[in-house]
Amino acid sequence: MLFTKRSYSVTAVAIAGLGFASLAFNACSSVKATHNTAGVHDTLQRNPVIKNKYTADPAAMVYKDKVYLYTGHDVAPPEKNFYEMHEWLCFSSSDMVNWTEHPSPLNVKEFKWARDDAWASQVIEHNGKFYWYVAVEHATIHGKAIGVAVSDSPTGPFKDARGSAIITNDMTTDTKISWDDIDPSVIIDDDGQAYLFWGNTVCYYAKLKANMTELDGPITKINGLPHYTEAPWIHKHGDWYYLSYAYQFPEKLAYAMSKSINGPWEFKGLLNEVAGNSNTNHQAIIDFKGKSYIVYHNGAMQTNGGSFRRSVCIDYLYYNKDGSIKKVVMTTEGVQPAK
Ligand code: FUB
């Protein structure tokens, strides 16, 4: 999300070949204990993967033979052309196709110091606890902020881990905008050191203390990421670190590679094109059962889908022998059940 370019109309981004058949859809439907999102059992139309509500800003975590998918929840009415998001959602799967929905494990109200806006987030496991880093609007410090919640279970419930934000807008001064401190992404390096990445228009990172709830050193601005907009996702595959991010606006995805978490980062080019009918794209990248996946959102839900009513999709991601990543092919088919 880049406010300075909000004038891009939702319809300016074409639904490139995304012909979704009519689906039973109820954005206000209550949580079901088990939600087989394939729903219509149409193997040619597994994307979007969640079809009974809008889901956005995916983050995925592999834990004990399961994938946990954490998303924001777009609830903006059809006539509203801005984000309305109050809670985060959690789904789990053993095969990347059949997803079980869990009751919402975290609502923005859990953060007493926050006003609203349950924006992008990521969950990571550390020493048997689960830490959920989230972007929200701060109630008393102007601008967006990052909070962290903790749970003993990947499905929650999650509780505010600090009682205050870990990042506030006044801690970063490279831009004058108030929404530059959004979109947290976390990684624990092979030596056990945890890092938090985040940022809109500027990408920042900082070390985290072993308690995962405090910074452990300065905030550093990352250079060499052309047309960086937002949505950093930090991950490691083989010997390489990857920093993927939303590029330009409407957003494509691009990525950079490094042999060190501290860079320097080498820009490698585009990863994905503009997602159908959405000016944001917001990716997560994981390996699961021997395959690699990109999880992202588009606006392809047939009922009022768009930039503020988004839906999570999953497609395969392929690495080249030199570690670079092949351009993503977004599909309606999605992926086959992982074995
Ligand atoms: O969902 C609100 C914002 O839109 C996120 O923080 C950005 O990454 C974009 O997806």
Side-chain angles (χ1 to χ4, degrees):
M1 199 274 334
L2 190 68
F3 288 145
T4 49
K5 296 185 182 172
R6 284 291 87 178
S7 56
Y8 281 103
S9 89
V10 175
T11 50
V13 185
I15 307 178
L18 296 172
F20 287 90
S22 183
L23 297 165
F25 177 78
N26 177 2
C28 301
S29 65
S30 60
V31 171
K32 296 183 181 105
T34 298
H35 172 56
N36 180 342
T37 58
V40 290
H41 294 289
D42 183 345
T43 53
L44 293 180
Q45 202 167 288
R46 289 191 169 121
N47 280 332
V49 297
I50 309 299
K51 293 183 169 75
N52 69 331
K53 56 184 65 176
Y54 301 114
T55 51
D57 300 329
M61 177 185 75
V62 177
Y63 181 70
K64 288 192 177 167
D65 285 337
K66 276 193 177 176
V67 175
Y68 291 86
L69 170 64
Y70 300 93
T71 76
H73 187 191
D74 279 335
V75 292
E79 65 281 5
K80 184 171 177 179
N81 282 324
F82 199 63
Y83 305 106
E84 186 168 336
M85 309 175 80
H86 309 298
E87 64 179 1
W88 295 270
L89 305 176
C90 175
F91 307 83
S92 63
S93 174
S94 298
D95 65 3
M96 300 294 285
V97 169
N98 294 291
W99 292 93
T100 297
E101 181 171 4
H102 303 277
S104 168
L106 185 60
N107 190 292
V108 70
K109 287 185 181 145
E110 173 61 23
F111 301 99
K112 302 293 177 243
W113 48 268
R115 184 178 299 146
D116 203 356
D117 294 349
W119 283 16
S121 70
Q122 187 180 344
V123 177
I124 198 165
E125 185 270 339
H126 182 61
N127 288 343
K129 288 193 182 294
F130 299 85
Y131 296 87
W132 199 337
Y133 298 83
V134 301
V136 295
E137 180 74 18
H138 203 286
T140 55
I141 301 172
H142 180 59
K144 288 281 181 284
I146 293 174
V148 53
V150 65
S151 175
D152 293 329
S153 159
T155 56
F158 283 78
K159 296 286 167 205
D160 186 354
R162 290 173 50 106
S164 63
I166 185 169
I167 302 289
T168 50
N169 184 44
D170 52 0
M171 292 166 69
T172 57
T173 52
D174 292 277
T175 78
K176 295 222 182 312
I177 61 175
S178 64
W179 57 94
D180 59 330
D181 297 294
I182 61 170
D183 293 359
S185 182
V186 285
I187 188 171
I188 299 175
D189 204 358
D190 299 337
D191 62 1
Q193 176 64 57
Y195 296 84
L196 178 67
F197 289 67
W198 75 97
N200 174 297
T201 63
V202 174
C203 187
Y204 300 105
Y205 82 115
K207 280 183 182 175
L208 290 170
K209 288 188 180 169
N211 63 16
M212 300 295 279
T213 61
E214 292 174 271
L215 297 190
D216 191 11
I219 293 173
T220 304
K221 176 183 168 182
I222 301 176
N223 295 310
L225 304 177
H227 298 287
Y228 176 86
T229 301
E230 59 185 0
W233 179 266
I234 180 76
H235 78 279
K236 193 173 186 198
H237 181 87
D239 291 339
W240 288 101
Y241 295 87
Y242 296 83
L243 185 52
S244 52
Y245 62 93
Y247 173 103
Q248 297 178 330
F249 192 89
E251 296 174 351
K252 301 174 182 182
L253 297 178
Y255 74 105
M257 291 168 63
S258 177
K259 284 284 186 187
S260 162
I261 191 82
N262 295 304
W265 293 97
E266 184 187 349
F267 179 67
K268 299 299 286 186
L270 289 183
L271 191 56
N272 201 11
E273 294 295 333
V274 173
N277 202 31
S278 171
N279 52 27
T280 61
N281 202 315
H282 205 110
Q283 80 294 353
I285 292 172
I286 55 164
D287 294 334
F288 182 61
K289 295 187 175 172
K291 288 192 161 59
S292 299
Y293 299 88
I294 183 162
V295 190
Y296 60 95
H297 67 223
N298 64 19
M301 191 83 89
Q302 197 200 34
T303 311
N304 298 317
S307 292
F308 307 110
R309 286 161 293 278
R310 300 162 290 181
S311 298
V312 168
C313 298
I314 302 176
D315 278 298
Y316 291 115
L317 187 88
Y318 298 102
Y319 293 88
N320 295 309
K321 283 206 172 111
D322 66 358
S324 58
I325 306 178
K326 291 189 200 299
K327 193 101 174 264
V328 169
V329 178
M330 290 183 280
T331 70
T332 51
E333 290 95 330
V335 297
Q336 301 297 314
K339 295 192 174 102

